[in-house]
Amino acid sequence: MTPPRALRRPPRRAPRLVTAALAAVVVVCGMLLPVPATAAAPEPTPTPSEISDVPAGTSVFTLSPSSNGIVRPGDALSVSISLQNATDAEIAPTTVTLALGRTPIANREALGEWLSGSVSAAGLEPIAEGGFDAVQAGAFQVRGITVDADNPALGGLAAGVYPIAASYDGASGTVTSTSAMIVPPADAVDVGLGVIVPITAGALEEGLLTADELAELTASDGALTNQLDGVTGTAAILAVDPAVPASIRVLGTSAPESALEWLERLENIQNSRFALQFGDADVTAQLQAGLPRPLEPTSFTAYMDPADFVAPSPTPTATPTESPSTSPTPTPTPTAGSSLPGTAELLAVGPATRPGVYWPADGTADTEIAERLAEIDAGGMTPVTLVPSSTTDAGAAGRTVSAHGRIGSAEVLVYDSDISSALDEASQREESWLRGASLTSATAYLAFATAEADGPILTTVGRGEGRDRVELGAAISAAFGAPDVTPRTIATVAASEARDVELEEIEPSQERAAAASALVADESELARFATILDTPSLLTGPERAEILQLLGVAWIGDAAWPAALADHRQASVDTLDSVALLPTSPSDLYGSSAALRFWVRNDLPYPVNLVLYTTRDNPRLDVQPQTPLVATPESNTRVEVPVQARVGRGDVTLTLQLRSPAFVAIGEAESVEVSVYADWEAVGIAALAVLVGLLLAFGIVRTVLRMRRRRRKTDAAADGIDPSDDAGSASRETAPDEERGR
């Protein structure tokens, strides 16, 4: 038995729109023909992309009711049947039988079993026939079957959800596709319904979208444009990723024109909305990693250029005293007006925003997560956590759960898992003849929900990507077009009476919690490193934004996520290594004092403030312990450290360590050997000075003695005594004594 629905296809390409339109025409034409004499329309030209999501070697048979399966008294029942052949062989012509069960499906659980094909279609009443021509390998066919309103099979049916099935005899047995027909009650009271639609850009590695990415996403056929087109004119509740408007606003006047127009549309539509975590980050992984509360963006300064926020100069005007022939005197360009927008202004998602709404990844939030999120200040509002009904005890048992619930002291908003899953699938079906099956399933589940709920109902269209405006709009319209529902905003749903609910225990994802913990640890190291900058947020702001993007829900289940995570962590390592001392070779010191030169490498695009700390291993050398410097961006900067030699010869090891002004070590410490020879020069100079002093003293003494001898000779010549006559000299010396004796 082949699956009742084709698997999801990859994001569309423009040429597929032509084929989808052709298929839609075929369906409509088929529905207009009487049954069982339905004429076979020409077989569509085989297009490989049309069945690309059908597993090779298989075929897919799908029953899709029109009008989302709603048949009111007096209406006809119209369906389309399609057969996609992904085998290598032709499928022979077949006759398809459409059957209806006249007993309503009992409850939601039974509906799920029926739609999944786990319940036999035996016992249903055949009501019409159709058929396929031979379906070539790699091709598909779509046919329509209509049961007239006056057909007895449709008469006398009470309100309820009825099983319908289409089947044919295949080569391996009977092939059946199941669906449902909804007969709405005539006098039911409307139930409030909220439909949440995410406005996101998908999985990203960078903190913000680039101008080129924004131009692509906000083009006429871009994903963001499709999302906004799909919700425009509806009462959908928007779940906006604030990273999208922030990416546009940080570009200022340099933002693409299409992006500015998209942002204006987002701000002007009146849909109720709330802000997702930045990058639609998974709040559960963050809390399970040990964080006290989910992370928030810190700064976007690094993404902004002040030149993009300068107010334009006023147009020059002529003064009254000027003649027409003279040039007008221009008004001076104001120097003010270039202030950058603040973080809150950049992250705003528009009017009617309900604060304090958290949307964890589907099926990850348990009671502990909800209670911890409830403790976060939401500006006076009560925080609420979105959880799927499948994680509640009542929802897991197949019962409907009202939107507003209470778990202890925490409040939650419960969205219906079955309806959300069907709408998600429908919003990603490009072919209308396949989309109808999912829309009918959603409407059938809504019929049970409106009958059982004791308060508003909440649903989503999932977090799918690559949705066209038509597909998304069809899913939203089907939800609000279901019988007995009326639109509700996020504020009115959260203000409704809260019912007690219980969440099932959920096994935490160790992989994502460990990844969040590692990213936060890396961020802490980078924040310490960033103290070298005048504005640390130039590094810490983008780092926080990138962490939140990598924790985005869109990455869950993506095989490329581990590689993206590893690349980011390696980039953090590279940043921490971007500033360091260059290796230094040994040096010799022959003087008593000198300046040792070292080089600092700075690969960052910003100047950095550093202090070089220098220590010695022995007292032969006096060294300046701290040397402040500013390293120029993307270059090597020289730094000189004064040193002075003491008495003594030998080797001195200097240890060099760069630190930020906050005393954070930057890079690895470096050691350099310095050979000191300066003391021998001092000793040599001192010895030479002593020798010169002795020579000078000897010369002075000798000169004095010589001068004395010359003076004696001069005195003797003046007295007529022969200086060489010793007797005469002696008589002259004793004569006065003799005279003194007489």
Side-chain angles (χ1 to χ4, degrees):
M1 176 174 175
T2 56
R5 303 180 184 88
L7 301 176
R8 295 178 183 175
R9 66 174 64 251
R12 80 208 50 71
R13 299 292 184 267
R16 292 186 185 172
L17 298 177
V18 177
T19 308
L22 176 62
V25 172
V26 173
V27 173
V28 173
C29 293
M31 291 178 179
L32 296 177
L33 297 176
V35 177
T38 302
E43 181 178 348
T45 302
T47 304
S49 63
E50 294 296 342
I51 58 173
S52 60
D53 49 2
V54 177
T58 66
S59 62
V60 173
F61 175 53
T62 305
L63 167 63
S64 294
S66 61
S67 302
N68 306 330
I70 301 172
V71 178
R72 292 180 169 85
D75 290 346
L77 169 64
S78 297
V79 301
S80 70
I81 52 175
S82 61
L83 182 57
Q84 297 169 284
N85 183 12
T87 68
D88 296 330
E90 177 184 271
I91 298 179
T94 59
T95 298
V96 178
T97 300
L98 179 66
L100 169 68
R102 293 187 59 84
T103 301
I105 297 174
N107 51 45
R108 293 172 57 116
E109 186 176 8
L111 173 63
E113 293 175 350
W114 170 251
L115 294 176
S116 67
S118 59
V119 177
S120 173
L124 272 63
E125 176 184 346
I127 58 175
E129 286 185 352
F132 296 110
D133 295 333
V135 182
Q136 300 175 3
F140 71 96
Q141 283 187 27
V142 181
R143 296 290 183 265
I145 300 176
T146 299
V147 180
D148 292 336
D150 57 359
N151 190 306
L154 300 181
L157 294 177
V161 177
Y162 293 86
I164 60 175
S167 59
Y168 71 90
D169 293 330
S172 302
T174 301
V175 180
T176 302
S177 179
T178 59
S179 189
M181 184 183 77
I182 301 96
V183 178
D187 54 355
V189 178
D190 285 354
V191 176
L193 173 66
V195 180
I196 299 175
V197 180
I199 307 295
T200 63
L204 296 176
E205 296 182 47
E206 300 299 324
L208 292 176
L209 294 163
T210 65
D212 290 341
E213 290 170 334
L214 284 170
E216 179 181 353
L217 291 170
T218 58
S220 59
D221 59 346
L224 288 174
T225 300
N226 283 329
Q227 292 173 20
L228 216 52
D229 288 347
V231 300
T232 300
T234 73
I237 300 169
L238 308 185
V240 185
D241 177 4
V244 176
S247 297
I248 301 173
R249 294 187 180 112
V250 297
L251 297 177
T253 56
S254 66
E257 188 65 27
S258 62
L260 294 173
E261 293 174 356
W262 184 92
L263 180 60
E264 184 177 5
R265 288 184 61 195
L266 176 67
E267 294 172 338
N268 289 336
I269 60 175
Q270 299 304 309
N271 293 64
S272 166
R273 68 196 69 190
F274 64 92
L276 295 165
Q277 293 300 109
F278 184 91
D280 194 16
D282 184 6
V283 295
T284 301
Q286 298 174 57
L287 296 182
Q288 290 174 345
L291 294 174
R293 59 178 296 164
L295 299 173
E296 296 179 355
T298 56
S299 171
F300 297 99
T301 303
Y303 296 100
M304 292 185 282
D305 184 350
D308 295 330
F309 297 89
V310 177
S313 301
T315 303
T317 56
T319 62
T321 58
E322 293 175 326
S323 64
S325 61
T326 59
S327 300
T329 303
T331 303
T333 301
T335 57
S338 60
S339 59
L340 301 179
T343 301
E345 181 182 352
L346 294 171
L347 296 174
V349 299
T353 301
R354 206 283 188 184
V357 180
Y358 299 94
W359 189 2
D362 290 350
T364 63
D366 54 14
T367 300
E368 179 185 359
I369 297 299
E371 290 179 343
R372 291 179 62 182
L373 291 173
E375 298 172 356
I376 300 174
D377 179 33
M381 301 293 290
T382 301
V384 291
T385 303
L386 290 167
V387 296
S389 62
S390 59
T391 62
T392 67
D393 288 350
R399 299 193 299 273
T400 297
V401 183
S402 298
H404 194 190
R406 181 187 296 107
I407 305 172
S409 60
E411 294 189 13
V412 295
L413 295 181
V414 183
Y415 54 92
D416 194 291
S417 298
D418 295 323
I419 303 173
S420 299
S421 178
L423 292 177
D424 183 15
E425 184 175 353
S427 69
Q428 299 187 72
R429 290 295 184 199
E430 185 176 349
E431 301 84 358
S432 61
W433 39 275
L434 293 176
R435 190 187 313 132
S438 301
L439 295 179
T440 299
S441 298
T443 305
Y445 280 116
L446 260 171
F448 282 108
T450 55
E452 299 172 1
D454 54 0
I457 304 168
L458 192 63
T459 185
T460 78
V461 295
R463 283 176 159 114
E465 298 180 33
R467 298 188 276 211
D468 187 85
R469 56 178 65 87
V470 174
E471 304 159 19
L472 181 59
I476 299 171
S477 298
F480 287 124
D484 309 322
V485 300
T486 185
R488 290 289 183 265
T489 66
I490 186 70
T492 55
V493 172
S496 63
E497 183 179 357
R499 312 289 182 176
D500 289 335
V501 297
E502 294 184 8
L503 289 181
E504 295 186 329
E505 294 185 4
I506 299 174
E507 187 69 23
S509 171
Q510 299 297 332
E511 179 187 13
R512 291 187 62 80
S517 179
L519 290 171
V520 171
D522 291 346
E523 182 190 28
S524 179
E525 289 296 319
L526 199 66
R528 289 163 48 83
F529 175 82
T531 56
I532 62 178
L533 300 178
D534 291 329
T535 308
S537 61
L538 293 174
L539 287 182
T540 58
E543 176 68 10
R544 173 62 63 83
E546 290 173 12
I547 286 176
L548 290 170
Q549 291 285 8
L550 285 171
L551 293 176
V553 173
W555 283 109
I556 295 178
D558 193 325
W561 184 62
L565 189 65
D567 290 344
H568 176 82
R569 299 199 64 193
Q570 182 58 50
S572 297
V573 172
D574 294 341
T575 300
L576 294 174
D577 188 50
S578 61
V579 177
L581 280 165
L582 291 176
T584 305
S585 58
S587 60
D588 298 327
L589 179 63
Y590 293 99
S592 60
S593 61
L596 299 180
R597 296 177 179 178
F598 308 104
W599 292 89
V600 176
R601 171 177 55 85
N602 176 20
D603 297 335
L604 295 175
Y606 316 109
V608 298
N609 305 309
L610 297 166
V611 180
L612 178 59
Y613 285 81
T614 310
T615 57
R616 61 188 182 180
D617 67 343
N618 66 65
R620 290 190 180 94
L621 201 63
D622 285 334
V623 60
Q624 179 173 289
Q626 302 176 22
T627 306
L629 70 141
V630 177
T632 53
E634 298 179 331
S635 63
N636 296 331
T637 302
R638 186 179 67 183
V639 55
E640 295 184 348
V641 178
V643 296
Q644 185 172 6
R646 291 186 176 185
V647 177
R649 175 187 180 188
D651 295 333
V652 178
T653 300
L654 299 182
T655 301
L656 311 175
Q657 176 65 69
L658 287 175
R659 293 187 180 274
S660 73
F663 205 69
V664 176
I666 306 298
E668 298 294 331
E670 294 284 342
S671 296
V672 58
E673 296 289 337
V674 180
S675 298
V676 180
Y677 300 97
D679 58 324
W680 290 108
E681 178 185 353
V683 171
I685 293 174
L688 181 60
V690 171
L691 179 60
V692 172
L694 291 175
L695 292 174
L696 288 174
F698 177 76
I700 292 172
V701 171
R702 184 179 179 186
T703 300
V704 171
L705 293 176
R706 182 178 298 170
M707 292 178 62
R708 284 183 178 178
R709 284 197 297 270
R710 289 178 179 174
R711 189 178 299 115
R712 291 192 189 112
K713 291 180 181 179
T714 303
D715 292 343
D719 292 339
I721 300 174
D722 185 359
S724 62
D725 186 1
D726 294 338
S729 298
S731 64
R732 284 196 304 272
E733 291 175 0
T734 57
D737 293 336
E738 292 177 353
E739 292 178 355
R740 283 195 297 272
R742 287 194 296 266

